[in-house]
Amino acid sequence: MSRLKDSSFHGYLGHALPHERDAVVDAVITSYIEAAGPARQRAIDDLTTCSASVLSVYGQRMASAAVRTGSVDTLRRGLVAVGMAQARLGDARDNLYPLVALNDAVSLLGTSLRSLITEVSDSLPPSATDELRAFDQRQEQDKSLESMGLRRLGSGQTFLYS
């Protein structure tokens, strides 16, 4: 988790996709998923507001990357990152942007946010899973791109949520 505290992550959302920092966060997510329960909790406990923000931004970036590549696995990693960040953000509403992007991406890839949440729930604290499920239960207009001022840009390898 300490790698996410590096100042090189400032402005991470605005970097080209893919970016070398994505690989750093990928490694953190993979390590977290492969860890046992107590190690996962220690990883979450080690998050600062800043490193949680990096995970949240990664979630939004992975929504774009998933659409580019057609990869549901990329969506899963993004959702795990958002779930990890949930309790450590200064304002949990900061996760709304990536959740809206992930929600839109799942529809483009022919799956559902509900099924992805179920798939990753064993990797996340129950409170994070509950908050992800609460987001999924919102009315469609309350979890749309428009509701957060996001939009789809480009197509294929240039696709981006912005």
Side-chain angles (χ1 to χ4, degrees):
M1 291 300 158
S2 63
R3 294 178 283 180
L4 303 182
K5 298 173 186 174
D6 191 283
S7 63
S8 68
F9 279 100
H10 294 295
Y12 177 43
L13 184 60
H15 289 290
L17 187 64
H19 193 276
E20 63 192 28
R21 288 181 186 95
D22 297 327
V24 172
V25 184
D26 274 337
V28 168
I29 298 301
T30 298
S31 175
Y32 172 83
I33 290 170
E34 292 174 352
R40 286 181 183 163
Q41 188 58 53
R42 281 192 303 276
I44 289 174
D45 291 345
D46 190 40
L47 289 172
T48 63
T49 301
C50 183
S51 55
S53 293
V54 169
L55 291 172
S56 183
V57 166
Y58 173 85
Q60 184 171 336
R61 291 176 62 82
M62 291 305 101
S64 297
V67 173
R68 288 180 180 193
T69 62
S71 171
V72 175
D73 186 56
T74 301
L75 287 176
R76 277 188 209 95
R77 287 195 325 271
L79 190 59
V80 167
V82 167
M84 290 172 66
Q86 187 68 32
R88 297 291 187 240
L89 291 169
D91 185 341
R93 293 176 292 185
D94 290 341
N95 255 346
L96 290 177
Y97 292 99
L99 282 170
V100 163
L102 288 162
N103 183 61
D104 188 71
V106 296
S107 68
L108 294 176
L109 295 182
T111 188
S112 72
L113 188 58
R114 179 173 293 134
S115 66
L116 278 183
I117 292 167
T118 299
E119 289 176 30
V120 304
S121 64
D122 288 343
S123 299
L124 296 172
S127 61
T129 301
D130 291 345
E131 290 186 45
L132 295 175
R133 286 188 173 129
F135 174 83
D136 185 50
Q137 295 299 314
R138 291 176 174 212
Q139 296 294 316
E140 285 304 315
Q141 71 266 14
D142 295 333
K143 56 183 181 178
S144 68
L145 294 176
E146 296 79 22
S147 71
M148 293 304 295
L150 291 176
R151 60 183 185 215
R152 298 175 188 157
L153 298 175
S155 63
Q157 291 304 305
T158 64
F159 183 88
L160 186 67
Y161 287 106
S162 177

